[in-house]
Amino acid sequence: MSSPAWIIQKKRDGKELSHTEITDFIQGVTDGRVADYQATAFLMAVYFRGMTLEETVALTEAMLLSGERYDLTKVTGIKVDKHSTGGVGDKVSLILAPLAAACGLKVPMMSGRGLGHSGGTVDKLESIPGFDIQLSQEKFIQTLSSVGCAMTSQTSKICPADKKLYALRDVTATVECIPLIAASILSKKIAEGSQALVLDVKVGNGAFMKSRKQAKTLAKTLIQVAKIMGLPARALLTNMNQPLGYAAGNAIEVKESIEILRNQKQSELCSADLKELTIQLCAQMLEVGKVTKNLTEGRKLAHSRLADGSAWRVFENLVRAQSGNLAAIQDPAKIPLAPQKKIWTSKKSGYIVKMQTESIGRILIELGGGRKIASDSIDPGVGLAFHHKLGSRIRAGEPLVTLYARENTNLDPVLDQLSQAIEISPAKKPVPKLIFEQIKG
Ligand code: URA
């Protein structure tokens, strides 16, 4: 193997790495010959210098080959998955996996933990008492066959290189990087055995890609690399200029997902964007998986499977199969939130014109809902519930956000940060669309 320092130096100086150099380095990350500080230096060099398409493919391949690849050929049905590039309040997977399964697809879903300011599906699922997110290959396949979907994190055998690099990126400001995101997502998705992939590429102030242009480049890179690796993929570019749905935080997002799966109406909290995006992504999965002829039929099928309770029943089966506490999801009051509840009200009247979504994600981390260093554990009960969304008209004194924090948390600085993150103005501004565009391979 070339010396790790030499490979880092070559990338630091903006040169293109060969397939062998990338493979060697990633093997070293996996077997421990490359130290964490060298891996981090490599990530930072890639962050600043980028990678060519060939390098990104080599990185994806090396991460994939660092572990096992699931063979789902014995599972009947079309296997289609969805992956989001990360945002705040993005709990779509929790609703979408059972919904798409209820519509006739098989959904093998391998997800990640929180990354940077964004939340992770695996952390959310862990707030369901007992829910096992470390499925063996055998258990993953068995659950997928019997339930229609299975949700797991990477075991130490699946893309261990991504597992290591992901945890390092989370705490070293090396997340917002197209080749690193592409290799991380695609290595997992190819390893899990999906036949097709729908990508939710987030764009906006709470996404890793802040501009439409960057998000489009990420989407195209993901689709191109996936194609080269034999995985058909398509993407939606979607709005992340405000938290998705009303909840941000692990347990509270599970509760919001359950409300949608059970078709419960929320009186004052707003989940409409979350439900709409889930339906649209489901329609994409159904079209790509040829369950429906087109998106219109797919949307119709998804709406009906949500409304008739089939998606909820699949979710119950999933929780049962993955050893989660069924009583807790049937009565979400049994999934505890942190005890210090504070309703934060608006000081002004006017319209919500801006939500600094990344700052909101960081507030959640401050409360304990995310990691500052790799060994941090997550507090599932802390969270935020938004009473209003972008474009809402607010009167002074009305509730804006309910916070759930631990008893000993001093909320004064948190409220100060929140007041800077949510901008209220006398003049209304246009609200960005939920879905900007579709990008096909
Ligand atoms: N999701 C992943 O799995 N990896 C990333 O880098 C970003 C989102």
Side-chain angles (χ1 to χ4, degrees):
M1 174 188 179
S2 316
S3 139
W6 190 81
I7 293 175
I8 297 164
Q9 182 183 339
K10 192 169 169 188
K11 185 40 67 186
R12 181 202 67 189
D13 295 343
K15 300 197 178 106
E16 183 169 356
L17 297 175
S18 70
H19 194 283
T20 312
E21 284 162 341
I22 291 174
T23 308
D24 275 357
F25 193 87
I26 296 300
Q27 265 170 9
V29 169
T30 314
D31 64 26
R33 278 172 302 136
V34 171
D36 283 0
Y37 49 82
Q38 291 174 311
T40 305
F42 174 80
L43 292 169
M44 195 55 93
V46 175
Y47 177 92
F48 280 115
R49 293 300 193 168
M51 277 185 154
T52 62
L53 182 65
E54 289 71 25
E55 285 177 299
T56 310
V57 171
L59 184 64
T60 309
E61 215 172 72
M63 307 236 287
L64 172 67
L65 295 175
S66 70
E68 290 176 350
R69 196 167 166 174
Y70 287 0
D71 177 5
L72 302 184
T73 45
K74 291 212 177 88
V75 180
T76 54
I78 316 281
K79 286 132 262 179
V80 182
D81 193 8
K82 180 271 340 179
H83 201 86
S84 155
T85 57
V88 178
D90 182 0
K91 70 279 292 173
V92 164
S93 293
L94 275 63
I95 310 160
L96 181 57
L99 175 60
C103 293
L105 287 172
K106 291 279 164 53
V107 187
M109 194 174 268
M110 191 168 291
S111 306
R113 295 193 176 276
L115 186 63
H117 68 275
S118 79
T121 302
V122 166
D123 293 328
K124 293 172 213 218
L125 286 169
E126 268 186 341
S127 57
I128 301 172
F131 195 93
D132 181 6
I133 47 85
Q134 290 272 335
L135 302 184
S136 65
Q137 175 168 186
E138 194 189 358
K139 178 78 186 168
F140 184 72
I141 291 176
Q142 190 191 330
T143 307
L144 182 63
S145 301
S146 59
V147 176
C149 58
M151 299 180 83
T152 189
S153 64
Q154 289 152 276
T155 61
S156 52
K157 292 185 182 150
I158 285 277
C159 302
D162 174 59
K163 205 169 180 203
K164 221 165 185 179
L165 294 178
Y166 193 95
L168 292 173
R169 285 169 62 214
D170 184 29
V171 290
T172 58
T174 47
V175 173
E176 301 91 338
C177 172
I178 288 175
L180 296 180
I181 295 176
S184 164
I185 292 178
L186 294 175
S187 57
K188 285 194 282 283
K189 297 290 136 173
I190 297 165
E192 75 183 12
S194 216
Q195 290 169 293
L197 179 63
V198 173
L199 293 152
D200 180 5
V201 177
K202 300 285 185 200
V203 51
N205 63 21
F208 298 133
M209 299 295 118
K210 306 291 187 236
S211 72
R212 278 273 289 276
K213 192 165 171 246
Q214 284 175 318
K216 210 164 170 170
T217 308
L218 172 59
K220 287 188 164 164
T221 306
L222 279 159
I223 291 169
Q224 259 180 314
V225 176
K227 190 173 177 193
I228 294 168
M229 309 252 338
L231 178 68
R234 56 166 74 174
L236 291 183
L237 293 197
T238 74
N239 181 16
M240 186 33 72
N241 284 297
Q242 61 180 332
L244 190 60
Y246 75 75
N250 293 295
I252 196 168
E253 290 190 40
V254 169
K255 287 171 189 273
E256 184 181 11
S257 306
I258 291 172
E259 285 157 13
I260 299 219
L261 282 161
R262 300 190 87 168
N263 261 312
Q264 288 163 338
K265 286 234 174 348
Q266 272 299 302
S267 50
E268 50 169 344
L269 300 166
C270 178
S271 295
D273 56 350
L274 170 64
K275 185 170 171 180
E276 175 59 19
L277 181 58
T278 308
I279 297 279
Q280 298 281 3
L281 288 163
C282 190
Q284 295 283 342
M285 291 170 75
L286 294 172
E287 189 186 57
V288 91
K290 300 199 169 43
V291 170
T292 56
K293 282 201 227 71
N294 52 46
L295 294 174
T296 312
E297 271 187 21
R299 274 194 294 270
K300 219 164 131 192
L301 182 61
H303 269 295
S304 76
R305 293 291 192 263
L306 204 51
D308 68 10
S310 345
W312 167 248
R313 282 190 291 279
V314 175
F315 186 67
E316 282 184 312
N317 292 341
L318 176 75
V319 170
R320 195 184 292 110
Q322 296 198 204
S323 314
N325 183 334
L326 210 55
I329 59 150
Q330 287 165 341
D331 174 12
K334 295 197 170 107
I335 303 176
L337 294 178
Q340 188 186 172
K341 181 175 173 186
K342 165 93 189 159
I343 299 176
W344 184 63
T345 54
S346 178
K347 302 270 174 300
K348 304 194 246 180
S349 296
Y351 295 92
I352 302 187
V353 292
K354 192 160 194 177
M355 292 175 99
Q356 295 285 3
T357 316
E358 182 167 335
S359 308
I360 292 169
R362 296 204 185 283
I363 290 169
L364 192 61
I365 295 175
E366 283 302 317
L367 290 173
R371 296 175 187 82
K372 289 185 199 161
I373 57 168
S375 56
D376 276 351
S377 58
I378 289 220
D379 184 339
V382 301
L384 307 165
F386 294 88
H387 296 258
H388 293 280
K389 308 272 291 186
L390 278 182
S392 288
R393 184 154 177 236
I394 310 289
R395 285 190 189 80
E398 251 189 280
L400 266 184
V401 185
T402 300
L403 293 93
Y404 296 88
R406 288 294 145 198
E407 299 281 26
N408 55 0
T409 306
N410 173 11
L411 287 181
D412 293 340
V414 176
L415 296 178
D416 196 43
Q417 285 164 24
L418 259 184
S419 64
Q420 289 173 37
I422 301 178
E423 203 180 304
I424 296 170
S425 150
K428 200 171 176 169
K429 278 195 190 156
V431 178
K433 287 198 292 193
L434 179 61
I435 297 173
F436 295 117
E437 69 184 286
Q438 179 188 354
I439 301 182
K440 281 194 175 177

